[in-house]
Amino acid sequence: MLNFLGSFAGPVAQGIIWGIMAIGVYITFRILDVADLTVDGSMATGGVTLVVLVTGGMHVALALLIAFLVGCAAGLVTGVFHTKFGIPAILAGILTQLILYSVNLRITTQRSNVPLSVDKYHILISLRNLTNAIIVSAIFAAVIIAVMYWFFGTELGHSLRATGCNQNMARANGINTDNNKIIGLVISNGLVALSGALLAQYQGFADINMGRGAIVIGLAAVIIGEVLLGKVFKNFALKLLAAVIGGIIYYIVISLVLKAGLNANDLKMFSALVVAVFLGIPYWQRKLAEKRSAKEDKANA
Amino acid sequence: MLKVNNIYKTFNKGTVNEKKALNGVSLELNEGDFVTIIGGNGAGKSTLLNSICGVFTVDRGTVVIDGVDVTKLPEHKRAKYLGRVFQDPMMGTAADMWIEENMSLAFRRGKPRGLKWAITNKERAAYREMLSHLGLGLEDRLSSKVGLLSGGQRQALTLLMAVMQKPKLLLLDEHTAALDPKTAETVLTLSDKFIKDEGLTAMMITHNMNDAIAHGNKLIMMHEGRIIYSAEGQEKKSLTVDDLLKKFADISGNALANDRMLLSN
């Protein structure tokens, strides 16, 4: 039994790290109502930035901060593309993602993979010590949730929520919706890069492709969290926690299907289909409800 | 309070869909004026209001609010001066946010938004008090999502939000058109009350000619992007719907053939 539970420690640690990424996705997808594809790039940017800095001799805490800020800069670029160039948000994100591919290779000096040995450098987490990895990443997640809870309770945070909810209303109440979208994208991508920086430490390397499909995993975590806990978790902090829990469940499920014999190369297809189905569920429910009420009307007529 | 000086606006210029929405509109309102605006579909009524709000910039002419030339200001900067209620009850509030959150957003209209807590307990008490004056029982539902309210409740809340930070100008764009007659009456009465109590300067678009005559101290009629008739004071008070229909036919050469306007009388 203990062995069985122990086999989930890896997925749990990974799930929490990706859960931090999912908080970033939650901010754009749920609060700003924007599907931001920058994250596929900024996840890797966070990872390679941290590895290059730490292997260059920088303290890991400072390297994490810089990885966060570089992610923020990526969000800024997408935000400017979207609001000042008038490019649709999805396309703006794709453009930045492509830019980041080149930028990430610059950061790694054209290497596609940069190693970070836990034996040689002082880093915070590693898959060699899963208990520690779970505790440290859980602390990160808790602090981030607390800060986000505070931020979205402030005047500025409220104005961001209004921007995502109803732009007409926001502008009529004097809110600069363009600036708010930029702020949201900056924070979101900062968190995503921070998650990438943690993931690089955990797995002991950063890879140019480590963010490929990140948006799908982030969305999966958000949606799984909502489907399973949306009814009970009403408070904003709990909603963010649900995204993290969604990330954990996602990785536990993935580890199970891999054990059951799914080809690892089919994993991305599997994830994308899961997300498609879960995004479809509310739509189908609505359709079904419409059909039902139409039938009732007919019966009453 | 408001000086609209010879403004022009053409949409889709140079295409087959070109539409001259405003064709040299000038209008001056003094403090405390309440003007009602009537006209057929596509007459330019909403375009006039939207050009005052800065939803788009005008092609020519200027808009001056309380001595400030706002012609080039973006929408969110003009919001400082303006309270707005839209035709669509969904448009004026944030559905996913609570009543008190919506009010706190409106309370900070025209003020910088920083990292202070968004709602203080003192504010909350003030909101409850304001809501109680609406007489809709919303004062006990501060933490209800606005999306759960009826159209009439949302419109009354939007109205309250538009005036809680006293605007230089209150703009009502057919704000009762989407409501059932009884609710429309309630919202209209509330509008009148706010305008009178706060001494607001206001503009109200309506398709109901009786309402246009009964409310406010000025009336303007628009057609094809121009103001074709205006009345104030005693002249406005003595107007009848038949007068308006006849005036419209005389000036425009058409009957004011808008089913909605005729049916509503």
Side-chain angles (χ1 to χ4, degrees):
Chain A
M1 182 68 193
L2 208 63
N3 199 21
F4 180 73
L5 278 180
S7 70
F8 286 131
V12 168
Q14 253 181 313
I16 298 172
I17 293 169
W18 280 92
I20 292 170
M21 188 269 173
I23 293 175
V25 171
Y26 188 94
I27 290 170
T28 47
F29 188 64
R30 279 294 178 234
I31 297 179
L32 282 184
D33 198 20
V34 160
D36 175 32
L37 299 186
T38 318
V39 295
D40 280 27
S42 52
M43 184 85 188
T45 305
V48 296
T49 303
L50 179 115
V51 172
V52 168
L53 290 178
V54 170
T55 51
M58 186 181 278
H59 189 278
V60 66
L62 190 57
L64 268 175
L65 178 69
I66 292 176
F68 171 79
L69 292 176
V70 174
C72 289
L76 179 68
V77 173
T78 302
V80 169
F81 280 168
H82 178 41
T83 60
K84 309 293 176 201
F85 288 46
I87 301 170
I90 290 189
L91 187 53
I94 292 174
L95 293 175
T96 312
Q97 192 192 113
L98 209 58
I99 291 173
L100 288 177
Y101 187 79
S102 299
V103 170
N104 294 344
L105 279 169
R106 285 266 172 198
I107 294 173
T108 61
T109 55
Q110 314 299 328
R111 288 169 293 172
S112 67
N113 186 303
V114 279
L116 176 67
S117 164
V118 65
D119 300 323
K120 273 203 251 169
Y121 302 98
H122 179 74
I123 53 178
L124 293 175
I125 53 176
S126 161
L127 49 75
R128 295 247 206 100
N129 184 346
L130 287 174
T131 315
N132 175 69
I134 289 174
I135 292 171
V136 173
S137 50
I139 291 171
F140 266 92
V143 171
I144 288 165
I145 289 174
V147 172
M148 288 302 115
Y149 179 75
W150 163 77
F151 176 74
F152 284 99
T154 64
E155 294 171 339
L156 183 62
H158 266 202
S159 78
L160 251 79
R161 292 175 56 204
T163 300
C165 186
N166 182 345
Q167 293 198 50
N168 283 307
M169 179 270 189
R171 281 195 287 267
N173 284 291
I175 292 167
N176 187 336
T177 49
D178 282 356
N179 280 1
N180 275 359
K181 284 186 209 163
I182 295 177
I183 293 172
L185 286 163
V186 163
I187 297 173
S188 167
N189 280 287
L191 292 178
V192 171
L194 183 69
S195 162
L198 288 171
L199 185 63
Q201 295 175 63
Y202 174 80
Q203 61 192 19
F205 65 91
D207 189 285
I208 285 302
N209 292 315
M210 67 190 269
R212 181 164 289 174
I215 182 70
V216 174
I217 300 176
L219 285 176
V222 167
I223 295 162
I224 292 170
E226 282 176 350
V227 168
L228 295 180
L229 299 162
K231 289 250 166 17
V232 251
F233 283 11
K234 297 284 184 200
N235 181 287
F236 181 68
L238 292 178
K239 283 182 180 172
L240 296 183
L241 179 63
V244 177
I245 295 173
I248 296 171
I249 293 171
Y250 174 83
Y251 270 96
I252 290 176
V253 171
I254 292 296
S255 76
L256 288 177
V257 296
L258 283 178
K259 263 185 203 144
L262 184 80
N263 183 331
N265 288 331
D266 292 337
L267 207 54
K268 288 207 194 305
M269 179 173 72
F270 174 77
S271 312
L273 290 175
V274 167
V275 168
V277 168
F278 274 100
L279 283 176
I281 286 174
Y283 175 76
W284 297 326
Q285 280 174 335
R286 220 170 32 244
K287 283 271 166 204
L288 206 65
E290 275 169 23
K291 232 182 222 169
R292 243 184 241 142
S293 82
K295 236 181 223 166
E296 274 168 26
D297 279 0
K298 224 181 216 171
N300 292 338
Chain B
M1 189 53 76
L2 172 73
K3 261 186 209 159
V4 173
N5 187 17
N6 203 23
I7 57 173
Y8 286 80
K9 180 69 190 179
T10 304
F11 292 110
N12 305 315
K13 206 174 258 179
T15 73
V16 284
N17 294 320
E18 181 169 300
K19 164 87 183 143
K20 282 188 179 146
L22 292 178
N23 238 327
V25 172
S26 295
L27 177 70
E28 198 161 328
L29 294 182
N30 299 316
E31 186 159 4
D33 272 349
F34 176 9
V35 62
T36 56
I37 306 170
I38 57 170
N41 293 336
K45 309 181 299 289
S46 287
T47 310
L48 172 60
L49 251 56
N50 286 339
S51 57
I52 294 171
C53 301
V55 175
F56 44 74
T57 47
V58 292
D59 300 333
R60 255 168 71 191
T62 56
V63 178
V64 179
I65 302 172
D66 198 25
V68 182
D69 185 344
V70 300
T71 316
K72 298 265 185 284
L73 282 187
E75 190 180 358
H76 69 269
K77 286 196 178 149
R78 298 191 200 190
K80 183 158 102 183
Y81 310 106
L82 304 170
R84 290 160 69 185
V85 186
F86 308 90
Q87 177 172 358
D88 179 355
M90 305 300 140
M91 215 160 144
T93 44
D96 290 339
M97 297 176 77
W98 294 353
I99 291 180
E100 63 174 25
E101 291 173 337
N102 271 273
M103 292 180 78
S104 80
L105 287 165
F107 188 63
R108 284 162 181 76
R109 181 165 52 75
K111 294 180 179 167
R113 289 164 211 265
L115 296 177
K116 275 187 297 211
W117 208 240
I119 309 172
T120 62
N121 281 329
K122 207 174 125 198
E123 274 174 43
R124 203 167 272 131
Y127 297 162
R128 191 168 284 133
E129 158 80 18
M130 289 179 208
L131 286 168
S132 70
H133 293 308
L134 296 180
L136 297 169
L138 296 180
E139 61 274 19
D140 301 320
R141 300 175 62 186
L142 281 179
S143 51
S144 285
K145 266 191 193 176
V146 167
L148 299 173
L149 306 184
S150 70
Q153 287 172 325
R154 280 182 82 158
Q155 211 61 330
L157 177 63
T158 308
L159 183 65
L160 175 59
M161 285 163 56
V163 300
M164 63 191 285
Q165 195 63 257
K166 190 180 174 182
K168 300 283 182 202
L169 185 63
L170 175 65
L171 301 169
L172 309 169
D173 186 355
E174 292 207 54
H175 69 311
T176 62
L179 307 176
D180 66 79
K182 193 162 163 283
T183 318
E185 190 57 43
T186 311
V187 171
L188 200 52
T189 310
L190 270 173
S191 313
D192 253 347
K193 184 174 168 298
F194 280 128
I195 291 167
K196 203 168 282 167
D197 291 355
E198 306 279 329
L200 299 174
T201 313
M203 300 174 79
M204 177 172 85
I205 298 177
T206 175
H207 63 266
N208 184 319
M209 284 188 270
N210 284 318
D211 286 344
I213 294 166
H215 299 270
N217 65 332
K218 289 186 178 175
L219 177 148
I220 60 178
M221 184 189 281
M222 293 188 70
H223 181 62
E224 290 177 348
R226 290 192 185 85
I227 295 175
I228 55 167
Y229 169 72
S230 64
E232 57 185 291
Q234 205 50 51
E235 183 188 354
K236 173 180 179 290
K237 269 185 204 153
S238 54
L239 281 171
T240 64
V241 172
D242 283 340
D243 290 341
L244 287 177
L245 288 172
K246 194 168 169 303
K247 285 235 155 56
F248 186 88
D250 286 352
I251 300 168
S252 72
N254 303 306
L256 188 48
N258 175 337
D259 293 347
R260 206 164 52 129
M261 294 177 83
L262 295 176
L263 285 170
S264 65
N265 289 298

